[in-house]
Amino acid sequence: MKQILVAATLIITLSTFASGEEFRPIFHPPTISILEALQQDPDNFSTLIGLLTKADLKELRKTRASYTILAPTNGAFAKLSPEYFAEISKDPSKLRQLLLAHLLPGKVLFIQVFAPDKDGVAKKNITESLKTVDGGLASIQCSAHPVDPANEHHPLINKKARVLKSDIEGKYSVIQVIDTVLIP
């Protein structure tokens, strides 16, 4: 009996560790904003959180604001040259422009953008251009919609940034985690 309990405990413990996700921003709709959701995962988003706080983007502090953020990880910001990072950090106008280039108005779920057509046929090699809050365009490419809707979408944005985790959804907003900072 003891061996069965030990085995069951071990299985439960291992399955708990195996099912953990890399990114932890969790929305509790509609009680938190995008910024508060990102703050739940400082290991991946502390640089972005710091820049968003410094720029004081009021759009992301509202709990009922409807936006999609293309959220670069700390690793994405580490790819920038130290000179460029220092420059944008010191210039409020450039910082705001950079951050707004990562913000789409409304909820954009890639599972819907790249959904199969009405006949259920999977679309292949799709490119969608979506307007960013700063007036620019984000070109989003996806080679194919996954057959299983539970699968992740890993589209490419502006032919540079790969989506690492898609469709982290709150009631009003969405976080799309990307591996490269989008330079406007």
Side-chain angles (χ1 to χ4, degrees):
M1 184 67 170
K2 232 182 198 183
Q3 291 173 336
I4 293 173
L5 285 174
V6 169
T9 304
L10 184 59
I11 290 170
I12 291 169
T13 303
L14 289 175
S15 65
T16 301
F17 285 118
S19 67
E21 291 184 344
E22 283 184 52
F23 302 102
R24 298 179 185 258
I26 300 168
F27 279 95
H28 298 283
T31 60
I32 67 172
S33 66
I34 290 177
L35 183 59
E36 290 167 324
L38 291 169
Q39 287 170 337
Q40 293 183 31
D41 190 359
D43 292 342
N44 287 303
F45 300 109
S46 60
T47 305
L48 179 59
I49 293 164
L51 293 173
L52 289 170
T53 303
K54 186 174 190 169
D56 194 30
L57 291 181
K58 292 174 180 44
E59 297 89 341
L60 300 183
R61 293 187 180 278
K62 299 175 184 172
T63 57
R64 294 182 184 251
S66 184
Y67 292 101
T68 298
I69 187 166
L70 306 172
T73 62
N74 291 341
F77 282 103
K79 293 179 188 178
L80 297 176
S81 74
E83 298 81 19
Y84 179 74
F85 186 79
E87 179 185 333
I88 62 163
S89 296
K90 291 177 187 174
D91 186 335
S93 174
K94 285 184 181 179
L95 178 58
R96 183 169 175 76
Q97 182 182 12
L98 176 83
L99 294 173
L100 291 178
H102 291 81
L103 199 60
L104 306 171
K107 284 179 73 169
V108 179
L109 295 168
F110 291 154
I111 192 83
Q112 293 172 349
V113 170
F114 299 108
D117 64 19
K118 63 184 175 193
D119 298 325
V121 177
K123 300 175 188 175
K124 295 189 187 291
N125 300 321
I126 309 160
T127 301
E128 291 287 334
S129 293
L130 302 172
K131 197 169 206 110
T132 59
V133 172
D134 73 340
L137 287 177
S139 173
I140 304 169
Q141 298 170 308
C142 190
S143 57
H145 186 277
V147 176
D148 178 7
N151 285 344
E152 283 287 313
H153 283 81
H154 299 285
L156 195 61
I157 300 174
N158 293 349
K159 298 182 181 180
K160 296 181 220 170
R162 175 73 53 201
V163 175
L164 301 174
K165 175 82 175 152
S166 63
D167 299 345
I168 301 170
E169 183 180 8
K171 183 167 184 174
Y172 299 103
S173 300
V174 177
I175 297 172
Q176 308 287 359
V177 180
I178 59 176
D179 70 352
T180 304
V181 176
L182 304 173
I183 308 297

